[in-house]
Amino acid sequence: MSTTPLLQHAEYGYMLPEAHNLLTQHADKIREHLIATGAAMEALAKRFGGDPQTWKVAGMLHDLDWDKLEKDMEEHCGETLEELLKTVKAPQELLADIRAHYAEKYGAAHPLESMLRKCLYCVDELTGLIIAVALVRPSKKLAGVEVKSVKKKMKEKSFAAQVNREQILRCEELLGIPPDEFISITLEAMKSVAGEIGL
Ligand SMILES: [Fe+2]
Ligand SMILES: [Fe+2]
């Protein structure tokens, strides 16, 4: 019998309807980022053999507390998030997976020990970068954005300077895939929800 920690295999895809409801109720400014990250996580689950709905839920809810915190980074993933998740009786594994993406604060308690967590950690910054790339285009749309345009903007340090490039590039070490593939999967997933996020 395997003794692999259950966390690596916890599935909570059944929370998808609740995840949609939570976004409707609590996500405004952060909504685009959450829908985009949910779609990207779903696609990454398919690439890495995870449960697509579980990964999608984690992506959709990872910054659920953001609009309420008004950029109080110290409180991110703390009690506010916990309270919001309690309203839908979310399992502890979901809270733990979400906290893991804030590695600077929760890395010791919730290490990046599963592919879900590793992907969420790396893709979080990438969806932000891709949204920024779309918004500087004349059309302000994702249509026409290519992997090479994302890579070009990634190299421009002053562009979307808050995006942590290193975290994106850790896909090679943490996920074992080159940045081109990582960007391509994420970009295509985001294009599939472009209408939903107004891009
Ligand atoms: Fe976050
Ligand atoms: Fe995020």
Side-chain angles (χ1 to χ4, degrees), residues 62-63 76 101 124:
H62 80 280
D63 285 339
H76 183 36
H101 94 273
D124 186 13

Side-chain angles (χ1 to χ4, degrees), residues 72-147:
D72 184 354
M73 196 60 190
E74 201 34 51
E75 280 304 307
H76 183 36
C77 297
E79 270 176 40
T80 304
L81 175 72
E82 208 169 340
E83 290 304 317
L84 288 171
L85 292 180
K86 261 189 205 156
T87 63
V88 295
K89 298 189 171 61
Q92 280 301 312
E93 291 88 349
L94 174 56
L95 178 65
D97 284 343
I98 289 178
R99 283 187 167 157
H101 94 273
Y102 188 5
E104 296 86 339
K105 183 159 180 184
Y106 290 99
H110 306 294
L112 300 176
E113 63 187 1
S114 64
M115 279 309 270
L116 182 157
R117 290 183 182 183
K118 290 174 188 179
C119 283
L120 183 56
Y121 175 78
C122 297
V123 87
D124 186 13
E125 296 295 307
L126 181 55
T127 54
L129 178 69
I130 293 175
I131 288 175
V133 171
L135 290 177
V136 295
R137 294 170 66 81
S139 64
K140 295 194 167 28
K141 300 282 183 207
L142 277 168
V145 175
E146 294 175 47
V147 171

Side-chain angles (χ1 to χ4, degrees), residues 169-186:
L169 294 171
R170 285 191 72 196
C171 66
E172 288 199 272
E173 165 210 349
L174 293 175
L175 314 181
I177 57 172
D180 277 44
E181 184 181 356
F182 187 43
I183 295 167
S184 168
I185 293 170
T186 304

